[in-house]
Amino acid sequence: MRYWTVLAAFAVVAGCLLLGGAGMRPFGAPRLDAMDQYFNARSQAEVAANNVVTAIVFDYRGYDTLGEATVLFVAVVGVALILRRVKR
Amino acid sequence: MTILAILQVLVLILIVAGSVLAVWLKDLLASVIALGASSLLLALQFYLLQAPDVAIAEAGVGAALTTAIFVLAIRKTRRKEEE
Amino acid sequence: MSVVVRTIARILIPVILVFGGYVILHGHLTPGGGFQGGAVAASAVALLLVAVGAPAVKKLKAPFSVLEDLGGVAFVVLGFLGIGFTFFANSLAGMGGLFGAPVPSGPNPGVLNTAGTVPLMNWAVGLKVLGGLGAVLVLFGLFGGDDDR
């Protein structure tokens, strides 16, 4: 009984994922590329960086990098709190 | 079908094989090594899809650091999985 | 671990550190950047930890923690440099000073002295990631006694 329940849940989840995959665009063909064209055209003039990915990460989307740094800091603080040496 | 597409399919099959092996093996150290190999192949797949930034991050974090942390954890605990 | 692992680690660790520094330093020209280079350099710490054991590298915990804090503070300070325009505005790009050389449009060979605050932020984030992941690795290795099996 339990086996069939697990199998049915697996079939439902796999069917939903395959249904979503069937509606995907062809590989390498994005439709909304206005933002990409903006970054490709302007990053050399505005940030003076040849690497557009780094220009986006550290300049246009600097807040995201700040959040990533905060996540890393919180992770390190959590590990240091849990794994500290407790004095007995 | 070009040679690049065949290579990508081969790498994807190897990734799935490594992941299944990581779940299936009873020796946890061998399982961690299989997981690291799968992660390294995932980095190769990112490189083949022309995302070298993600490939470097995946190779550094997924293949090296995760494997090292798992090896340290296994060193502190048991090596064999019990039924 | 065995002497083979220790010998290989002694050869490989400087190579890994130099490659991590290269990825950080050329982050605004080639693929990579602060996070990737810091992760590559932290993998050298992982190799050292697995090779010689955690008690031998216990002293590295405090410098890594300080490095993590310094990197985070430097990143926020560099973000505040452009506060006259907006937060995270690139106030050094194209000004002619430090990292301020202009870049011609189109494909061109990269010059290291470009991109304004981006290389400095790369260094800040790279040191932060190296310090954070290194401190996490040393703490994991030191947990639960000093046995080295």
Side-chain angles (χ1 to χ4, degrees):
Chain A
M1 186 61 205
R2 199 171 171 189
Y3 180 75
W4 288 108
T5 314
V6 170
L7 204 64
F10 178 77
V12 167
V13 172
C16 288
L17 286 179
L18 285 177
L19 206 65
M24 275 172 70
R25 290 191 288 263
F27 181 70
R31 241 178 251 152
L32 301 169
D33 60 347
M35 210 68 197
D36 309 349
Q37 297 305 323
Y38 177 84
F39 285 139
N40 279 334
R42 302 287 293 279
S43 76
Q44 276 184 324
E46 287 180 356
V47 192
N50 278 327
N51 190 349
V52 183
V53 176
T54 309
I56 291 172
V57 166
F58 284 105
D59 195 281
Y60 292 111
R61 300 283 183 266
Y63 280 111
D64 284 348
T65 311
L66 185 63
E68 176 204 325
T70 312
V71 165
L72 184 68
F73 179 72
V74 170
V76 172
V77 167
V79 169
L81 273 179
I82 289 173
L83 298 186
R84 74 190 186 279
R85 192 173 292 268
V86 182
K87 288 198 180 68
R88 294 203 178 95
Chain B
M1 208 172 184
T2 61
I3 186 92
L4 196 64
I6 296 172
L7 189 61
Q8 283 184 5
V9 169
L10 198 67
V11 169
L12 283 173
I13 288 171
L14 283 176
I15 289 170
V16 173
S19 307
V20 170
L21 211 61
V23 176
W24 183 65
L25 283 172
K26 292 292 183 220
D27 189 350
L28 289 179
L29 199 60
S31 176
V32 166
I33 299 302
L35 193 65
S38 174
S39 187
L40 198 64
L41 284 166
L42 185 60
L44 177 63
Q45 176 69 19
F46 279 135
Y47 181 73
L48 288 177
L49 290 175
Q50 301 181 4
D53 291 274
V54 193
I56 296 173
E58 176 68 31
V61 174
L65 289 178
T66 313
T67 309
I69 285 179
F70 275 133
V71 166
L72 287 173
I74 288 172
R75 201 187 269 183
K76 303 287 179 194
T77 56
R78 289 188 308 274
R79 183 170 167 180
K80 296 287 181 186
E81 187 181 2
E82 290 166 2
E83 287 294 328
Chain C
M1 284 244 172
S2 65
V3 69
V4 177
V5 177
R6 267 183 277 140
T7 309
I8 297 292
R10 191 178 300 143
I11 298 169
L12 269 184
I13 283 172
V15 179
I16 297 174
L17 282 178
V18 166
F19 182 66
Y22 160 76
V23 170
I24 296 174
L25 181 62
H26 286 207
H28 55 297
L29 300 175
T30 55
F35 183 80
Q36 286 90 347
V40 169
S43 72
V45 178
L47 181 58
L48 180 71
L49 202 62
V50 172
V52 304
V57 293
K58 192 193 280 185
K59 281 188 201 134
L60 283 177
K61 194 179 76 175
F64 276 149
S65 302
V66 172
L67 207 62
E68 213 262 346
D69 298 339
L70 279 183
V73 170
F75 183 66
V76 177
V77 166
L78 284 170
F80 270 111
L81 270 187
I83 199 69
F85 186 56
T86 52
F87 194 41
F88 277 109
N90 201 333
S91 57
L92 294 178
M95 291 297 176
L98 181 68
F99 294 119
V103 168
S105 187
N108 58 318
V111 183
L112 201 60
N113 192 20
T114 54
T117 54
V118 172
L120 300 169
M121 282 182 183
N122 266 328
W123 273 106
V125 172
L127 292 180
K128 179 176 166 57
V129 171
L130 168 64
L133 294 180
V136 165
L137 281 166
V138 175
L139 280 167
F140 261 100
L142 284 176
F143 179 65
D146 292 341
D147 59 333
D148 183 24
R149 272 176 284 161

Short mmCIF file of all heavy atoms in Angstrom, two decimals, chain A residues 13-49:
data_model
loop_
_atom_site.label_atom_id
_atom_site.label_comp_id
_atom_site.label_asym_id
_atom_site.label_seq_id
_atom_site.Cartn_x
_atom_site.Cartn_y
_atom_site.Cartn_z
N VAL A 13 4.74 13.98 -9.55
CA VAL A 13 5.79 15.01 -9.57
C VAL A 13 6.55 14.97 -10.87
O VAL A 13 6.82 16.00 -11.51
CB VAL A 13 6.73 14.82 -8.35
CG1 VAL A 13 7.92 15.75 -8.47
CG2 VAL A 13 5.98 15.11 -7.08
N ALA A 14 6.89 13.76 -11.35
CA ALA A 14 7.63 13.64 -12.60
C ALA A 14 6.79 14.13 -13.77
O ALA A 14 7.30 14.78 -14.68
CB ALA A 14 8.04 12.18 -12.82
N GLY A 15 5.47 13.84 -13.73
CA GLY A 15 4.61 14.32 -14.81
C GLY A 15 4.54 15.83 -14.85
O GLY A 15 4.60 16.44 -15.92
N CYS A 16 4.43 16.47 -13.66
CA CYS A 16 4.39 17.93 -13.61
C CYS A 16 5.68 18.52 -14.15
O CYS A 16 5.67 19.49 -14.92
CB CYS A 16 4.15 18.41 -12.18
SG CYS A 16 2.49 18.11 -11.60
N LEU A 17 6.83 17.92 -13.77
CA LEU A 17 8.11 18.46 -14.23
C LEU A 17 8.26 18.30 -15.74
O LEU A 17 8.72 19.21 -16.44
CB LEU A 17 9.26 17.75 -13.51
CG LEU A 17 9.45 18.15 -12.05
CD1 LEU A 17 10.58 17.37 -11.43
CD2 LEU A 17 9.75 19.63 -11.94
N LEU A 18 7.84 17.15 -16.27
CA LEU A 18 7.95 16.93 -17.72
C LEU A 18 7.01 17.87 -18.47
O LEU A 18 7.35 18.38 -19.54
CB LEU A 18 7.61 15.47 -18.05
CG LEU A 18 8.71 14.48 -17.70
CD1 LEU A 18 8.25 13.06 -17.99
CD2 LEU A 18 9.97 14.78 -18.48
N LEU A 19 5.81 18.12 -17.87
CA LEU A 19 4.88 19.05 -18.51
C LEU A 19 5.48 20.45 -18.56
O LEU A 19 5.35 21.16 -19.56
CB LEU A 19 3.58 19.06 -17.70
CG LEU A 19 2.32 19.45 -18.48
CD1 LEU A 19 2.03 18.41 -19.52
CD2 LEU A 19 1.14 19.57 -17.51
N GLY A 20 6.15 20.85 -17.47
CA GLY A 20 6.82 22.15 -17.48
C GLY A 20 7.95 22.19 -18.48
O GLY A 20 8.17 23.19 -19.15
N GLY A 21 8.70 21.09 -18.58
CA GLY A 21 9.81 21.05 -19.52
C GLY A 21 9.37 21.09 -20.97
O GLY A 21 10.09 21.57 -21.83
N ALA A 22 8.14 20.59 -21.24
CA ALA A 22 7.67 20.58 -22.63
C ALA A 22 7.39 21.99 -23.13
O ALA A 22 7.46 22.24 -24.33
CB ALA A 22 6.41 19.72 -22.73
N GLY A 23 7.08 22.91 -22.21
CA GLY A 23 6.78 24.26 -22.63
C GLY A 23 7.96 25.19 -22.68
O GLY A 23 7.80 26.39 -22.86
N MET A 24 9.16 24.64 -22.51
CA MET A 24 10.34 25.51 -22.50
C MET A 24 10.66 26.01 -23.90
O MET A 24 10.28 25.40 -24.90
CB MET A 24 11.54 24.75 -21.95
CG MET A 24 11.63 24.79 -20.45
SD MET A 24 12.91 23.69 -19.85
CE MET A 24 14.36 24.55 -20.38
N ARG A 25 11.38 27.13 -23.93
CA ARG A 25 11.83 27.65 -25.22
C ARG A 25 12.91 26.74 -25.78
O ARG A 25 13.51 25.96 -25.04
CB ARG A 25 12.40 29.05 -25.03
CG ARG A 25 11.36 30.07 -24.70
CD ARG A 25 11.95 31.44 -24.81
NE ARG A 25 12.87 31.69 -23.70
CZ ARG A 25 12.53 32.34 -22.61
NH1 ARG A 25 11.34 32.82 -22.49
NH2 ARG A 25 13.40 32.54 -21.66
N PRO A 26 13.18 26.81 -27.09
CA PRO A 26 14.32 26.08 -27.65
C PRO A 26 15.61 26.53 -26.99
O PRO A 26 15.74 27.68 -26.55
CB PRO A 26 14.31 26.45 -29.13
CG PRO A 26 12.94 26.90 -29.39
CD PRO A 26 12.39 27.46 -28.14
N PHE A 27 16.56 25.60 -26.91
CA PHE A 27 17.78 25.88 -26.17
C PHE A 27 18.55 27.05 -26.79
O PHE A 27 18.80 27.07 -27.99
CB PHE A 27 18.67 24.64 -26.13
CG PHE A 27 19.92 24.85 -25.37
CD1 PHE A 27 19.88 24.98 -24.00
CD2 PHE A 27 21.13 24.96 -26.02
CE1 PHE A 27 21.03 25.20 -23.29
CE2 PHE A 27 22.27 25.19 -25.32
CZ PHE A 27 22.22 25.30 -23.95
N GLY A 28 18.96 28.01 -25.96
CA GLY A 28 19.76 29.13 -26.43
C GLY A 28 18.99 30.18 -27.17
O GLY A 28 19.56 30.95 -27.92
N ALA A 29 17.67 30.24 -26.98
CA ALA A 29 16.87 31.24 -27.70
C ALA A 29 16.02 32.02 -26.73
O ALA A 29 14.81 31.79 -26.64
CB ALA A 29 16.00 30.56 -28.75
N PRO A 30 16.59 32.94 -25.96
CA PRO A 30 15.76 33.75 -25.08
C PRO A 30 14.98 34.79 -25.87
O PRO A 30 15.41 35.25 -26.92
CB PRO A 30 16.78 34.41 -24.16
CG PRO A 30 18.01 34.46 -24.96
CD PRO A 30 18.00 33.27 -25.86
N ARG A 31 13.81 35.14 -25.36
CA ARG A 31 12.97 36.08 -26.08
C ARG A 31 13.16 37.51 -25.57
O ARG A 31 13.24 38.44 -26.34
CB ARG A 31 11.51 35.66 -25.94
CG ARG A 31 10.87 35.35 -27.26
CD ARG A 31 9.46 34.88 -27.05
NE ARG A 31 9.34 33.47 -27.34
CZ ARG A 31 8.43 32.69 -26.77
NH1 ARG A 31 7.60 33.18 -25.89
NH2 ARG A 31 8.36 31.43 -27.08
N LEU A 32 13.24 37.66 -24.25
CA LEU A 32 13.35 39.00 -23.68
C LEU A 32 14.83 39.33 -23.49
O LEU A 32 15.44 38.91 -22.53
CB LEU A 32 12.62 39.07 -22.35
CG LEU A 32 11.13 38.75 -22.42
CD1 LEU A 32 10.58 38.57 -21.03
CD2 LEU A 32 10.41 39.84 -23.14
N ASP A 33 15.42 40.08 -24.41
CA ASP A 33 16.85 40.33 -24.32
C ASP A 33 17.17 41.82 -24.30
O ASP A 33 18.28 42.21 -24.63
CB ASP A 33 17.59 39.65 -25.47
CG ASP A 33 17.11 40.15 -26.82
OD1 ASP A 33 16.06 40.82 -26.84
OD2 ASP A 33 17.79 39.89 -27.81
N ALA A 34 16.21 42.67 -23.93
CA ALA A 34 16.48 44.11 -23.91
C ALA A 34 17.54 44.44 -22.86
O ALA A 34 18.45 45.23 -23.10
CB ALA A 34 15.20 44.88 -23.64
N MET A 35 17.43 43.79 -21.68
CA MET A 35 18.40 44.05 -20.61
C MET A 35 19.79 43.57 -21.02
O MET A 35 20.79 44.24 -20.77
CB MET A 35 17.94 43.31 -19.36
CG MET A 35 18.34 43.96 -18.07
SD MET A 35 17.48 45.50 -17.86
CE MET A 35 18.50 46.23 -16.62
N ASP A 36 19.87 42.40 -21.69
CA ASP A 36 21.16 41.89 -22.15
C ASP A 36 21.81 42.86 -23.12
O ASP A 36 23.01 43.14 -23.04
CB ASP A 36 20.99 40.53 -22.82
CG ASP A 36 20.21 39.58 -21.97
OD1 ASP A 36 20.00 39.91 -20.79
OD2 ASP A 36 19.83 38.52 -22.48
N GLN A 37 21.00 43.38 -24.05
CA GLN A 37 21.56 44.31 -25.03
C GLN A 37 22.06 45.58 -24.35
O GLN A 37 23.09 46.13 -24.71
CB GLN A 37 20.51 44.67 -26.09
CG GLN A 37 20.04 43.48 -26.91
CD GLN A 37 21.18 42.76 -27.56
OE1 GLN A 37 22.15 43.38 -28.01
NE2 GLN A 37 21.11 41.44 -27.60
N TYR A 38 21.33 46.04 -23.31
CA TYR A 38 21.76 47.22 -22.58
C TYR A 38 23.12 46.98 -21.92
O TYR A 38 24.04 47.78 -22.06
CB TYR A 38 20.72 47.57 -21.51
CG TYR A 38 21.12 48.74 -20.65
CD1 TYR A 38 20.88 50.04 -21.06
CD2 TYR A 38 21.77 48.55 -19.43
CE1 TYR A 38 21.26 51.11 -20.29
CE2 TYR A 38 22.16 49.62 -18.66
CZ TYR A 38 21.89 50.89 -19.09
OH TYR A 38 22.28 51.95 -18.33
N PHE A 39 23.25 45.82 -21.24
CA PHE A 39 24.52 45.55 -20.56
C PHE A 39 25.65 45.40 -21.57
O PHE A 39 26.75 45.91 -21.36
CB PHE A 39 24.40 44.27 -19.72
CG PHE A 39 23.62 44.46 -18.47
CD1 PHE A 39 22.72 43.51 -18.05
CD2 PHE A 39 23.78 45.60 -17.71
CE1 PHE A 39 22.00 43.69 -16.90
CE2 PHE A 39 23.07 45.78 -16.55
CZ PHE A 39 22.17 44.82 -16.15
N ASN A 40 25.39 44.70 -22.69
CA ASN A 40 26.45 44.50 -23.67
C ASN A 40 26.89 45.81 -24.29
O ASN A 40 28.07 46.01 -24.58
CB ASN A 40 25.95 43.56 -24.79
CG ASN A 40 26.05 42.13 -24.38
OD1 ASN A 40 26.87 41.78 -23.55
ND2 ASN A 40 25.20 41.30 -24.94
N ALA A 41 25.96 46.74 -24.47
CA ALA A 41 26.30 47.98 -25.15
C ALA A 41 26.95 48.99 -24.22
O ALA A 41 27.80 49.76 -24.63
CB ALA A 41 25.04 48.58 -25.79
N ARG A 42 26.55 49.00 -22.93
CA ARG A 42 26.93 50.11 -22.07
C ARG A 42 27.99 49.79 -21.03
O ARG A 42 28.52 50.73 -20.42
CB ARG A 42 25.67 50.63 -21.33
CG ARG A 42 24.57 51.07 -22.24
CD ARG A 42 24.91 52.39 -22.90
NE ARG A 42 24.97 53.48 -21.94
CZ ARG A 42 23.89 54.12 -21.50
NH1 ARG A 42 22.71 53.76 -21.92
NH2 ARG A 42 24.01 55.09 -20.64
N SER A 43 28.29 48.52 -20.80
CA SER A 43 29.16 48.22 -19.66
C SER A 43 30.57 48.73 -19.88
O SER A 43 31.24 49.13 -18.93
CB SER A 43 29.19 46.72 -19.40
OG SER A 43 30.00 46.09 -20.35
N GLN A 44 31.03 48.75 -21.12
CA GLN A 44 32.39 49.24 -21.35
C GLN A 44 32.47 50.75 -21.16
O GLN A 44 33.48 51.28 -20.72
CB GLN A 44 32.84 48.87 -22.75
CG GLN A 44 33.39 47.46 -22.81
CD GLN A 44 33.93 47.11 -24.16
OE1 GLN A 44 33.40 47.55 -25.17
NE2 GLN A 44 34.98 46.34 -24.19
N ALA A 45 31.40 51.46 -21.48
CA ALA A 45 31.44 52.91 -21.32
C ALA A 45 31.18 53.33 -19.88
O ALA A 45 31.77 54.30 -19.41
CB ALA A 45 30.39 53.55 -22.25
N GLU A 46 30.29 52.63 -19.18
CA GLU A 46 29.90 53.09 -17.85
C GLU A 46 30.81 52.57 -16.74
O GLU A 46 31.15 53.29 -15.82
CB GLU A 46 28.45 52.66 -17.58
CG GLU A 46 27.46 53.47 -18.37
CD GLU A 46 26.04 53.05 -18.10
OE1 GLU A 46 25.83 52.08 -17.36
OE2 GLU A 46 25.14 53.71 -18.64
N VAL A 47 31.16 51.28 -16.81
CA VAL A 47 31.98 50.70 -15.74
C VAL A 47 33.44 50.62 -16.16
O VAL A 47 34.32 50.44 -15.31
CB VAL A 47 31.43 49.30 -15.37
CG1 VAL A 47 32.04 48.78 -14.10
CG2 VAL A 47 29.94 49.34 -15.23
N ALA A 48 33.72 50.74 -17.45
CA ALA A 48 35.08 50.61 -17.98
C ALA A 48 35.65 49.23 -17.71
O ALA A 48 36.82 49.06 -17.42
CB ALA A 48 36.02 51.68 -17.44
N ALA A 49 34.78 48.20 -17.78
CA ALA A 49 35.23 46.84 -17.55
C ALA A 49 35.01 46.01 -18.81
O ALA A 49 33.97 46.11 -19.45
CB ALA A 49 34.46 46.20 -16.39
#
